[in-house]
Amino acid sequence: MDVGDVLQLQYIVAALVYSAVGVAVFFVSFLLLDLLTPKVSVWRELVEKQNLAFGVFLAGATLGIAIIIASAIH
């Protein structure tokens, strides 16, 4: 296998497109999560109050969204 076979332009463009779509969908999903929790200020909970439970929740939600996006794109 030659390096030129692996690094073809079509594969690089496909990887960039899939990455951009994944990041865009993740961003929209995160905004949707923020809109669905209007009583909670993410910045205040994480930075000012240093709410560890909220941080764990947000990390779990982030991983869940990323897994769903990865499985949907793949």
Side-chain angles (χ1 to χ4, degrees):
M1 179 180 283
D2 189 36
V3 176
D5 295 336
V6 176
L7 294 177
Q8 292 180 2
L9 183 61
Q10 66 185 10
Y11 297 129
I12 295 172
V13 170
L16 291 174
V17 167
Y18 280 123
S19 297
V21 168
V23 168
V25 171
F26 180 77
F27 182 72
V28 169
S29 300
F30 193 78
L31 287 178
L32 184 62
L33 177 70
D34 194 30
L35 289 174
L36 290 174
T37 56
K39 294 182 180 180
V40 179
S41 172
V42 175
W43 180 260
R44 186 172 352 127
E45 289 294 327
L46 289 178
V47 177
E48 293 176 7
K49 293 184 179 180
Q50 296 183 354
N51 189 345
L52 182 62
F54 185 74
V56 170
F57 161 74
L58 199 58
T62 301
L63 286 174
I65 292 169
I67 289 170
I68 290 171
I69 292 170
S71 65
I73 289 178
H74 185 21

Short mmCIF file of all heavy atoms in Angstrom, two decimals:
data_model
loop_
_atom_site.label_atom_id
_atom_site.label_comp_id
_atom_site.label_asym_id
_atom_site.label_seq_id
_atom_site.Cartn_x
_atom_site.Cartn_y
_atom_site.Cartn_z
N MET A 1 0.84 -1.18 0.00
CA MET A 1 0.00 0.00 0.00
C MET A 1 0.89 1.24 0.00
O MET A 1 1.74 1.41 0.84
CB MET A 1 -0.92 -0.01 1.22
CG MET A 1 -1.81 1.20 1.28
SD MET A 1 -2.90 1.23 2.69
CE MET A 1 -4.13 0.08 2.19
N ASP A 2 0.67 2.07 -0.95
CA ASP A 2 1.44 3.30 -1.11
C ASP A 2 0.76 4.44 -0.35
O ASP A 2 -0.45 4.47 -0.18
CB ASP A 2 1.53 3.62 -2.60
CG ASP A 2 2.49 4.76 -2.88
OD1 ASP A 2 3.52 4.86 -2.19
OD2 ASP A 2 2.22 5.54 -3.79
N VAL A 3 1.55 5.38 0.12
CA VAL A 3 1.01 6.53 0.85
C VAL A 3 0.11 7.36 -0.06
O VAL A 3 -0.89 7.91 0.38
CB VAL A 3 2.16 7.40 1.42
CG1 VAL A 3 1.62 8.64 2.09
CG2 VAL A 3 3.01 6.59 2.38
N GLY A 4 0.41 7.40 -1.31
CA GLY A 4 -0.41 8.14 -2.27
C GLY A 4 -1.80 7.56 -2.41
O GLY A 4 -2.76 8.28 -2.70
N ASP A 5 -1.95 6.25 -2.21
CA ASP A 5 -3.27 5.63 -2.27
C ASP A 5 -4.13 6.05 -1.08
O ASP A 5 -5.34 6.20 -1.20
CB ASP A 5 -3.15 4.11 -2.29
CG ASP A 5 -2.48 3.60 -3.55
OD1 ASP A 5 -2.53 4.32 -4.57
OD2 ASP A 5 -1.90 2.50 -3.51
N VAL A 6 -3.52 6.20 0.06
CA VAL A 6 -4.26 6.54 1.28
C VAL A 6 -4.60 8.02 1.32
O VAL A 6 -5.69 8.41 1.72
CB VAL A 6 -3.45 6.14 2.53
CG1 VAL A 6 -4.17 6.57 3.80
CG2 VAL A 6 -3.18 4.65 2.55
N LEU A 7 -3.69 8.87 0.89
CA LEU A 7 -3.87 10.31 0.98
C LEU A 7 -4.41 10.91 -0.32
O LEU A 7 -3.89 11.89 -0.83
CB LEU A 7 -2.56 10.99 1.35
CG LEU A 7 -2.03 10.69 2.75
CD1 LEU A 7 -0.69 11.37 2.97
CD2 LEU A 7 -3.02 11.13 3.80
N GLN A 8 -5.45 10.32 -0.84
CA GLN A 8 -6.07 10.88 -2.02
C GLN A 8 -6.98 12.03 -1.62
O GLN A 8 -7.51 12.07 -0.50
CB GLN A 8 -6.88 9.82 -2.76
CG GLN A 8 -6.01 8.76 -3.39
CD GLN A 8 -6.83 7.72 -4.12
OE1 GLN A 8 -8.05 7.81 -4.18
NE2 GLN A 8 -6.17 6.73 -4.68
N LEU A 9 -7.15 12.96 -2.52
CA LEU A 9 -7.91 14.17 -2.23
C LEU A 9 -9.36 13.85 -1.85
O LEU A 9 -9.92 14.48 -0.96
CB LEU A 9 -7.86 15.11 -3.44
CG LEU A 9 -8.56 16.45 -3.26
CD1 LEU A 9 -7.90 17.24 -2.12
CD2 LEU A 9 -8.52 17.24 -4.54
N GLN A 10 -9.96 12.86 -2.49
CA GLN A 10 -11.36 12.55 -2.20
C GLN A 10 -11.55 12.08 -0.76
O GLN A 10 -12.56 12.38 -0.13
CB GLN A 10 -11.90 11.50 -3.16
CG GLN A 10 -11.24 10.14 -3.04
CD GLN A 10 -11.75 9.18 -4.09
OE1 GLN A 10 -12.43 9.58 -5.02
NE2 GLN A 10 -11.40 7.91 -3.95
N TYR A 11 -10.58 11.36 -0.21
CA TYR A 11 -10.68 10.89 1.17
C TYR A 11 -10.48 12.04 2.16
O TYR A 11 -11.15 12.09 3.20
CB TYR A 11 -9.67 9.79 1.44
CG TYR A 11 -9.90 8.55 0.60
CD1 TYR A 11 -8.86 7.99 -0.13
CD2 TYR A 11 -11.15 7.96 0.52
CE1 TYR A 11 -9.06 6.87 -0.90
CE2 TYR A 11 -11.36 6.84 -0.25
CZ TYR A 11 -10.32 6.30 -0.96
OH TYR A 11 -10.53 5.19 -1.73
N ILE A 12 -9.60 12.94 1.83
CA ILE A 12 -9.38 14.10 2.69
C ILE A 12 -10.61 15.00 2.70
O ILE A 12 -11.06 15.44 3.76
CB ILE A 12 -8.12 14.87 2.24
CG1 ILE A 12 -6.87 13.99 2.44
CG2 ILE A 12 -7.99 16.19 2.99
CD1 ILE A 12 -5.61 14.57 1.86
N VAL A 13 -11.19 15.24 1.53
CA VAL A 13 -12.40 16.06 1.45
C VAL A 13 -13.55 15.39 2.17
O VAL A 13 -14.31 16.04 2.91
CB VAL A 13 -12.76 16.35 -0.03
CG1 VAL A 13 -14.13 16.99 -0.14
CG2 VAL A 13 -11.70 17.23 -0.66
N ALA A 14 -13.70 14.08 2.02
CA ALA A 14 -14.77 13.36 2.70
C ALA A 14 -14.61 13.44 4.22
O ALA A 14 -15.59 13.65 4.95
CB ALA A 14 -14.80 11.91 2.26
N ALA A 15 -13.40 13.31 4.70
CA ALA A 15 -13.16 13.41 6.14
C ALA A 15 -13.48 14.81 6.66
O ALA A 15 -14.08 14.97 7.73
CB ALA A 15 -11.71 13.05 6.46
N LEU A 16 -13.10 15.83 5.90
CA LEU A 16 -13.40 17.21 6.31
C LEU A 16 -14.90 17.49 6.30
O LEU A 16 -15.42 18.16 7.20
CB LEU A 16 -12.66 18.20 5.43
CG LEU A 16 -11.14 18.23 5.58
CD1 LEU A 16 -10.51 19.14 4.54
CD2 LEU A 16 -10.76 18.66 6.98
N VAL A 17 -15.59 16.98 5.29
CA VAL A 17 -17.04 17.19 5.21
C VAL A 17 -17.75 16.48 6.37
O VAL A 17 -18.60 17.06 7.04
CB VAL A 17 -17.59 16.71 3.85
CG1 VAL A 17 -19.11 16.64 3.86
CG2 VAL A 17 -17.12 17.63 2.75
N TYR A 18 -17.39 15.22 6.63
CA TYR A 18 -18.01 14.50 7.73
C TYR A 18 -17.70 15.17 9.07
O TYR A 18 -18.57 15.25 9.95
CB TYR A 18 -17.53 13.05 7.77
CG TYR A 18 -18.24 12.16 6.78
CD1 TYR A 18 -17.53 11.44 5.83
CD2 TYR A 18 -19.62 12.04 6.78
CE1 TYR A 18 -18.17 10.62 4.93
CE2 TYR A 18 -20.27 11.24 5.88
CZ TYR A 18 -19.56 10.53 4.95
OH TYR A 18 -20.19 9.73 4.06
N SER A 19 -16.51 15.67 9.23
CA SER A 19 -16.15 16.37 10.47
C SER A 19 -16.96 17.64 10.62
O SER A 19 -17.46 17.94 11.71
CB SER A 19 -14.66 16.70 10.49
OG SER A 19 -13.90 15.52 10.46
N ALA A 20 -17.10 18.40 9.55
CA ALA A 20 -17.86 19.64 9.61
C ALA A 20 -19.34 19.37 9.91
O ALA A 20 -19.96 20.08 10.71
CB ALA A 20 -17.72 20.42 8.30
N VAL A 21 -19.89 18.35 9.29
CA VAL A 21 -21.29 18.00 9.55
C VAL A 21 -21.46 17.56 11.00
O VAL A 21 -22.40 17.97 11.69
CB VAL A 21 -21.77 16.90 8.58
CG1 VAL A 21 -23.10 16.32 9.02
CG2 VAL A 21 -21.86 17.45 7.17
N GLY A 22 -20.53 16.76 11.50
CA GLY A 22 -20.60 16.30 12.89
C GLY A 22 -20.52 17.44 13.87
O GLY A 22 -21.28 17.51 14.84
N VAL A 23 -19.60 18.37 13.65
CA VAL A 23 -19.45 19.52 14.54
C VAL A 23 -20.69 20.41 14.48
O VAL A 23 -21.17 20.90 15.51
CB VAL A 23 -18.17 20.31 14.21
CG1 VAL A 23 -18.14 21.64 14.92
CG2 VAL A 23 -16.94 19.49 14.56
N ALA A 24 -21.23 20.62 13.29
CA ALA A 24 -22.43 21.46 13.15
C ALA A 24 -23.63 20.84 13.85
O ALA A 24 -24.36 21.53 14.58
CB ALA A 24 -22.74 21.70 11.67
N VAL A 25 -23.83 19.55 13.67
CA VAL A 25 -24.95 18.88 14.33
C VAL A 25 -24.75 18.86 15.84
O VAL A 25 -25.69 19.05 16.61
CB VAL A 25 -25.13 17.44 13.77
CG1 VAL A 25 -26.13 16.66 14.58
CG2 VAL A 25 -25.55 17.50 12.32
N PHE A 26 -23.52 18.67 16.29
CA PHE A 26 -23.23 18.70 17.72
C PHE A 26 -23.53 20.08 18.29
O PHE A 26 -24.12 20.21 19.36
CB PHE A 26 -21.79 18.31 17.98
CG PHE A 26 -21.43 18.32 19.43
CD1 PHE A 26 -21.83 17.29 20.25
CD2 PHE A 26 -20.70 19.35 19.96
CE1 PHE A 26 -21.52 17.30 21.59
CE2 PHE A 26 -20.39 19.38 21.30
CZ PHE A 26 -20.80 18.34 22.12
N PHE A 27 -23.14 21.12 17.59
CA PHE A 27 -23.38 22.49 18.04
C PHE A 27 -24.87 22.77 18.14
O PHE A 27 -25.34 23.33 19.13
CB PHE A 27 -22.70 23.48 17.10
CG PHE A 27 -22.84 24.91 17.52
CD1 PHE A 27 -22.16 25.40 18.62
CD2 PHE A 27 -23.66 25.78 16.82
CE1 PHE A 27 -22.29 26.72 19.02
CE2 PHE A 27 -23.81 27.09 17.20
CZ PHE A 27 -23.12 27.56 18.32
N VAL A 28 -25.63 22.37 17.13
CA VAL A 28 -27.08 22.56 17.15
C VAL A 28 -27.71 21.76 18.28
O VAL A 28 -28.60 22.25 18.98
CB VAL A 28 -27.69 22.18 15.78
CG1 VAL A 28 -29.21 22.11 15.85
CG2 VAL A 28 -27.25 23.16 14.72
N SER A 29 -27.24 20.54 18.50
CA SER A 29 -27.76 19.72 19.60
C SER A 29 -27.46 20.35 20.95
O SER A 29 -28.30 20.33 21.85
CB SER A 29 -27.16 18.32 19.54
OG SER A 29 -27.46 17.69 18.34
N PHE A 30 -26.28 20.91 21.10
CA PHE A 30 -25.93 21.56 22.36
C PHE A 30 -26.78 22.81 22.58
O PHE A 30 -27.23 23.07 23.70
CB PHE A 30 -24.44 21.92 22.36
CG PHE A 30 -23.93 22.30 23.71
CD1 PHE A 30 -23.65 21.33 24.66
CD2 PHE A 30 -23.74 23.62 24.05
CE1 PHE A 30 -23.20 21.67 25.91
CE2 PHE A 30 -23.29 23.98 25.30
CZ PHE A 30 -23.01 22.99 26.24
N LEU A 31 -27.03 23.58 21.52
CA LEU A 31 -27.92 24.74 21.65
C LEU A 31 -29.33 24.30 22.00
O LEU A 31 -30.00 24.96 22.80
CB LEU A 31 -27.92 25.54 20.34
CG LEU A 31 -26.68 26.37 20.05
CD1 LEU A 31 -26.83 27.07 18.70
CD2 LEU A 31 -26.43 27.38 21.14
N LEU A 32 -29.78 23.20 21.42
CA LEU A 32 -31.10 22.68 21.74
C LEU A 32 -31.18 22.25 23.20
O LEU A 32 -32.18 22.52 23.88
CB LEU A 32 -31.43 21.50 20.82
CG LEU A 32 -32.81 20.89 20.95
CD1 LEU A 32 -33.88 21.91 20.60
CD2 LEU A 32 -32.94 19.67 20.07
N LEU A 33 -30.14 21.63 23.69
CA LEU A 33 -30.09 21.25 25.10
C LEU A 33 -30.13 22.50 25.98
O LEU A 33 -30.83 22.51 27.01
CB LEU A 33 -28.82 20.45 25.39
CG LEU A 33 -28.59 20.04 26.84
CD1 LEU A 33 -29.60 18.98 27.24
CD2 LEU A 33 -27.18 19.54 27.03
N ASP A 34 -29.44 23.54 25.59
CA ASP A 34 -29.45 24.79 26.34
C ASP A 34 -30.83 25.44 26.31
O ASP A 34 -31.28 26.00 27.31
CB ASP A 34 -28.39 25.74 25.80
CG ASP A 34 -28.10 26.90 26.73
OD1 ASP A 34 -28.23 26.73 27.96
OD2 ASP A 34 -27.72 27.97 26.23
N LEU A 35 -31.52 25.34 25.18
CA LEU A 35 -32.86 25.91 25.08
C LEU A 35 -33.89 25.11 25.88
O LEU A 35 -34.87 25.67 26.37
CB LEU A 35 -33.30 26.00 23.62
CG LEU A 35 -32.60 27.04 22.76
CD1 LEU A 35 -33.03 26.91 21.31
CD2 LEU A 35 -32.90 28.43 23.28
N LEU A 36 -33.68 23.81 25.99
CA LEU A 36 -34.62 22.97 26.72
C LEU A 36 -34.47 23.09 28.24
O LEU A 36 -35.33 22.62 28.98
CB LEU A 36 -34.46 21.50 26.30
CG LEU A 36 -34.92 21.17 24.90
CD1 LEU A 36 -34.58 19.73 24.55
CD2 LEU A 36 -36.41 21.43 24.74
N THR A 37 -33.42 23.70 28.69
CA THR A 37 -33.21 23.94 30.12
C THR A 37 -33.10 25.44 30.37
O THR A 37 -32.03 25.95 30.71
CB THR A 37 -31.94 23.22 30.62
OG1 THR A 37 -30.83 23.64 29.83
CG2 THR A 37 -32.07 21.72 30.54
N PRO A 38 -34.23 26.18 30.25
CA PRO A 38 -34.14 27.64 30.34
C PRO A 38 -33.87 28.15 31.75
O PRO A 38 -33.38 29.26 31.92
CB PRO A 38 -35.51 28.10 29.85
CG PRO A 38 -36.42 26.96 30.13
CD PRO A 38 -35.58 25.73 29.96
N LYS A 39 -34.18 27.37 32.77
CA LYS A 39 -33.99 27.83 34.14
C LYS A 39 -32.54 27.68 34.61
O LYS A 39 -32.19 28.15 35.68
CB LYS A 39 -34.91 27.07 35.09
CG LYS A 39 -36.37 27.36 34.85
CD LYS A 39 -37.22 26.62 35.85
CE LYS A 39 -38.69 26.92 35.60
NZ LYS A 39 -39.55 26.22 36.56
N VAL A 40 -31.73 27.03 33.81
CA VAL A 40 -30.35 26.75 34.20
C VAL A 40 -29.40 27.54 33.31
O VAL A 40 -29.43 27.42 32.10
CB VAL A 40 -30.05 25.24 34.08
CG1 VAL A 40 -28.62 24.95 34.46
CG2 VAL A 40 -31.01 24.43 34.93
N SER A 41 -28.55 28.33 33.92
CA SER A 41 -27.51 29.04 33.20
C SER A 41 -26.24 28.18 33.24
O SER A 41 -25.68 27.95 34.32
CB SER A 41 -27.24 30.40 33.84
OG SER A 41 -26.11 30.99 33.26
N VAL A 42 -25.84 27.70 32.08
CA VAL A 42 -24.70 26.79 32.02
C VAL A 42 -23.45 27.46 32.58
O VAL A 42 -22.72 26.87 33.38
CB VAL A 42 -24.47 26.31 30.56
CG1 VAL A 42 -23.22 25.47 30.45
CG2 VAL A 42 -25.68 25.53 30.07
N TRP A 43 -23.20 28.68 32.17
CA TRP A 43 -22.00 29.38 32.62
C TRP A 43 -22.01 29.56 34.14
O TRP A 43 -21.02 29.31 34.81
CB TRP A 43 -21.90 30.74 31.93
CG TRP A 43 -20.69 31.51 32.35
CD1 TRP A 43 -20.62 32.51 33.26
CD2 TRP A 43 -19.35 31.30 31.90
NE1 TRP A 43 -19.35 32.96 33.40
CE2 TRP A 43 -18.53 32.22 32.57
CE3 TRP A 43 -18.76 30.43 30.99
CZ2 TRP A 43 -17.17 32.29 32.36
CZ3 TRP A 43 -17.41 30.51 30.78
CH2 TRP A 43 -16.62 31.43 31.46
N ARG A 44 -23.14 29.99 34.69
CA ARG A 44 -23.22 30.24 36.13
C ARG A 44 -23.05 28.93 36.92
O ARG A 44 -22.36 28.90 37.93
CB ARG A 44 -24.54 30.89 36.49
CG ARG A 44 -24.58 31.29 37.95
CD ARG A 44 -25.79 32.12 38.36
NE ARG A 44 -26.64 32.56 37.29
CZ ARG A 44 -27.97 32.35 37.27
NH1 ARG A 44 -28.55 31.73 38.25
NH2 ARG A 44 -28.69 32.80 36.26
N GLU A 45 -23.68 27.87 36.44
CA GLU A 45 -23.58 26.59 37.16
C GLU A 45 -22.16 26.04 37.14
O GLU A 45 -21.68 25.51 38.14
CB GLU A 45 -24.55 25.57 36.56
CG GLU A 45 -26.00 25.85 36.84
CD GLU A 45 -26.36 25.74 38.30
OE1 GLU A 45 -25.78 24.91 39.02
OE2 GLU A 45 -27.25 26.49 38.73
N LEU A 46 -21.49 26.15 36.01
CA LEU A 46 -20.15 25.56 35.90
C LEU A 46 -19.06 26.44 36.49
O LEU A 46 -18.18 25.95 37.20
CB LEU A 46 -19.83 25.27 34.43
CG LEU A 46 -20.59 24.12 33.79
CD1 LEU A 46 -20.19 23.99 32.33
CD2 LEU A 46 -20.37 22.83 34.53
N VAL A 47 -19.11 27.73 36.22
CA VAL A 47 -18.00 28.60 36.60
C VAL A 47 -18.22 29.25 37.96
O VAL A 47 -17.35 29.18 38.83
CB VAL A 47 -17.76 29.68 35.52
CG1 VAL A 47 -16.66 30.63 35.92
CG2 VAL A 47 -17.41 29.01 34.19
N GLU A 48 -19.36 29.86 38.13
CA GLU A 48 -19.58 30.60 39.37
C GLU A 48 -19.91 29.69 40.55
O GLU A 48 -19.31 29.80 41.61
CB GLU A 48 -20.70 31.63 39.17
CG GLU A 48 -20.31 32.73 38.21
CD GLU A 48 -21.45 33.70 37.93
OE1 GLU A 48 -22.50 33.59 38.59
OE2 GLU A 48 -21.29 34.55 37.04
N LYS A 49 -20.85 28.76 40.34
CA LYS A 49 -21.25 27.86 41.43
C LYS A 49 -20.36 26.62 41.53
O LYS A 49 -20.39 25.93 42.54
CB LYS A 49 -22.70 27.42 41.24
CG LYS A 49 -23.71 28.52 41.41
CD LYS A 49 -25.11 27.95 41.29
CE LYS A 49 -26.17 28.99 41.48
NZ LYS A 49 -27.52 28.41 41.36
N GLN A 50 -19.61 26.33 40.49
CA GLN A 50 -18.76 25.14 40.40
C GLN A 50 -19.54 23.88 40.76
O GLN A 50 -19.13 23.06 41.57
CB GLN A 50 -17.52 25.29 41.27
CG GLN A 50 -16.62 26.40 40.81
CD GLN A 50 -15.36 26.51 41.63
OE1 GLN A 50 -15.17 25.83 42.62
NE2 GLN A 50 -14.46 27.38 41.19
N ASN A 51 -20.69 23.73 40.11
CA ASN A 51 -21.60 22.63 40.36
C ASN A 51 -21.08 21.37 39.67
O ASN A 51 -21.20 21.20 38.46
CB ASN A 51 -23.00 22.99 39.85
CG ASN A 51 -24.05 22.00 40.25
OD1 ASN A 51 -23.75 20.89 40.68
ND2 ASN A 51 -25.30 22.41 40.10
N LEU A 52 -20.50 20.47 40.46
CA LEU A 52 -19.91 19.25 39.92
C LEU A 52 -20.97 18.33 39.32
O LEU A 52 -20.75 17.71 38.27
CB LEU A 52 -19.12 18.51 41.00
CG LEU A 52 -18.40 17.25 40.56
CD1 LEU A 52 -17.37 17.56 39.50
CD2 LEU A 52 -17.77 16.57 41.75
N ALA A 53 -22.12 18.23 39.97
CA ALA A 53 -23.19 17.37 39.46
C ALA A 53 -23.66 17.84 38.08
O ALA A 53 -23.90 17.03 37.18
CB ALA A 53 -24.36 17.34 40.43
N PHE A 54 -23.78 19.14 37.90
CA PHE A 54 -24.17 19.67 36.60
C PHE A 54 -23.08 19.42 35.56
O PHE A 54 -23.38 19.13 34.40
CB PHE A 54 -24.47 21.17 36.70
CG PHE A 54 -24.99 21.75 35.42
CD1 PHE A 54 -26.28 21.48 35.00
CD2 PHE A 54 -24.19 22.54 34.62
CE1 PHE A 54 -26.76 21.99 33.81
CE2 PHE A 54 -24.66 23.07 33.45
CZ PHE A 54 -25.95 22.80 33.03
N GLY A 55 -21.83 19.52 35.97
CA GLY A 55 -20.73 19.22 35.06
C GLY A 55 -20.74 17.78 34.59
O GLY A 55 -20.51 17.50 33.42
N VAL A 56 -21.04 16.85 35.51
CA VAL A 56 -21.12 15.44 35.15
C VAL A 56 -22.31 15.21 34.21
O VAL A 56 -22.22 14.47 33.23
CB VAL A 56 -21.21 14.56 36.41
CG1 VAL A 56 -21.54 13.13 36.05
CG2 VAL A 56 -19.93 14.64 37.21
N PHE A 57 -23.44 15.86 34.52
CA PHE A 57 -24.60 15.77 33.63
C PHE A 57 -24.27 16.28 32.23
O PHE A 57 -24.60 15.64 31.23
CB PHE A 57 -25.78 16.56 34.20
CG PHE A 57 -26.83 16.88 33.18
CD1 PHE A 57 -27.69 15.91 32.71
CD2 PHE A 57 -26.94 18.17 32.66
CE1 PHE A 57 -28.64 16.20 31.75
CE2 PHE A 57 -27.89 18.47 31.71
CZ PHE A 57 -28.75 17.48 31.25
N LEU A 58 -23.62 17.43 32.17
CA LEU A 58 -23.28 18.02 30.88
C LEU A 58 -22.29 17.15 30.11
O LEU A 58 -22.40 17.00 28.89
CB LEU A 58 -22.72 19.43 31.09
CG LEU A 58 -22.72 20.36 29.91
CD1 LEU A 58 -24.14 20.55 29.39
CD2 LEU A 58 -22.15 21.70 30.31
N ALA A 59 -21.34 16.56 30.83
CA ALA A 59 -20.39 15.65 30.17
C ALA A 59 -21.11 14.43 29.61
O ALA A 59 -20.83 13.99 28.49
CB ALA A 59 -19.31 15.23 31.16
N GLY A 60 -22.03 13.87 30.38
CA GLY A 60 -22.80 12.72 29.90
C GLY A 60 -23.66 13.07 28.71
O GLY A 60 -23.74 12.29 27.74
N ALA A 61 -24.31 14.23 28.76
CA ALA A 61 -25.13 14.66 27.63
C ALA A 61 -24.26 14.89 26.39
O ALA A 61 -24.65 14.52 25.28
CB ALA A 61 -25.88 15.93 27.99
N THR A 62 -23.09 15.46 26.59
CA THR A 62 -22.18 15.71 25.48
C THR A 62 -21.72 14.39 24.85
O THR A 62 -21.71 14.26 23.61
CB THR A 62 -20.96 16.52 25.96
OG1 THR A 62 -21.42 17.74 26.51
CG2 THR A 62 -20.00 16.80 24.85
N LEU A 63 -21.34 13.44 25.67
CA LEU A 63 -20.92 12.14 25.14
C LEU A 63 -22.08 11.43 24.43
O LEU A 63 -21.89 10.80 23.39
CB LEU A 63 -20.37 11.26 26.26
CG LEU A 63 -18.99 11.65 26.77
CD1 LEU A 63 -18.63 10.80 27.98
CD2 LEU A 63 -17.96 11.49 25.68
N GLY A 64 -23.26 11.52 25.01
CA GLY A 64 -24.43 10.90 24.37
C GLY A 64 -24.72 11.50 23.02
O GLY A 64 -24.99 10.78 22.05
N ILE A 65 -24.67 12.82 22.93
CA ILE A 65 -24.90 13.48 21.65
C ILE A 65 -23.83 13.09 20.64
O ILE A 65 -24.12 12.80 19.47
CB ILE A 65 -24.94 15.01 21.83
CG1 ILE A 65 -26.18 15.41 22.61
CG2 ILE A 65 -24.90 15.73 20.50
CD1 ILE A 65 -26.18 16.86 23.07
N ALA A 66 -22.58 13.04 21.09
CA ALA A 66 -21.49 12.67 20.18
C ALA A 66 -21.64 11.24 19.68
O ALA A 66 -21.39 10.95 18.50
CB ALA A 66 -20.15 12.85 20.88
N ILE A 67 -22.04 10.33 20.55
CA ILE A 67 -22.23 8.93 20.14
C ILE A 67 -23.38 8.81 19.14
O ILE A 67 -23.27 8.09 18.14
CB ILE A 67 -22.46 8.04 21.37
CG1 ILE A 67 -21.17 7.92 22.16
CG2 ILE A 67 -22.97 6.66 20.96
CD1 ILE A 67 -21.33 7.25 23.51
N ILE A 68 -24.47 9.51 19.40
CA ILE A 68 -25.61 9.47 18.47
C ILE A 68 -25.22 10.04 17.11
O ILE A 68 -25.55 9.48 16.07
CB ILE A 68 -26.81 10.22 19.07
CG1 ILE A 68 -27.37 9.44 20.25
CG2 ILE A 68 -27.89 10.46 18.02
CD1 ILE A 68 -28.41 10.18 21.05
N ILE A 69 -24.48 11.14 17.10
CA ILE A 69 -24.05 11.74 15.85
C ILE A 69 -23.11 10.79 15.10
O ILE A 69 -23.24 10.59 13.89
CB ILE A 69 -23.37 13.10 16.09
CG1 ILE A 69 -24.39 14.11 16.59
CG2 ILE A 69 -22.69 13.61 14.82
CD1 ILE A 69 -23.79 15.39 17.07
N ALA A 70 -22.17 10.19 15.83
CA ALA A 70 -21.21 9.28 15.19
C ALA A 70 -21.92 8.07 14.59
O ALA A 70 -21.59 7.63 13.48
CB ALA A 70 -20.15 8.84 16.19
N SER A 71 -22.91 7.54 15.29
CA SER A 71 -23.60 6.38 14.76
C SER A 71 -24.52 6.75 13.60
O SER A 71 -24.73 5.96 12.69
CB SER A 71 -24.40 5.68 15.87
OG SER A 71 -25.43 6.52 16.33
N ALA A 72 -25.06 7.97 13.62
CA ALA A 72 -25.93 8.40 12.53
C ALA A 72 -25.13 8.69 11.26
O ALA A 72 -25.60 8.40 10.16
CB ALA A 72 -26.71 9.64 12.95
N ILE A 73 -23.97 9.26 11.41
CA ILE A 73 -23.15 9.58 10.24
C ILE A 73 -22.52 8.33 9.64
O ILE A 73 -22.41 8.17 8.45
CB ILE A 73 -22.08 10.63 10.59
CG1 ILE A 73 -22.73 11.97 10.83
CG2 ILE A 73 -21.05 10.76 9.48
CD1 ILE A 73 -21.76 13.06 11.24
N HIS A 74 -22.13 7.43 10.50
CA HIS A 74 -21.45 6.23 10.04
C HIS A 74 -22.44 5.33 9.37
O HIS A 74 -22.40 4.78 8.41
CB HIS A 74 -20.78 5.52 11.18
CG HIS A 74 -19.95 4.34 10.80
ND1 HIS A 74 -19.46 4.15 9.55
CD2 HIS A 74 -19.52 3.29 11.50
CE1 HIS A 74 -18.76 3.03 9.51
NE2 HIS A 74 -18.79 2.50 10.69
#
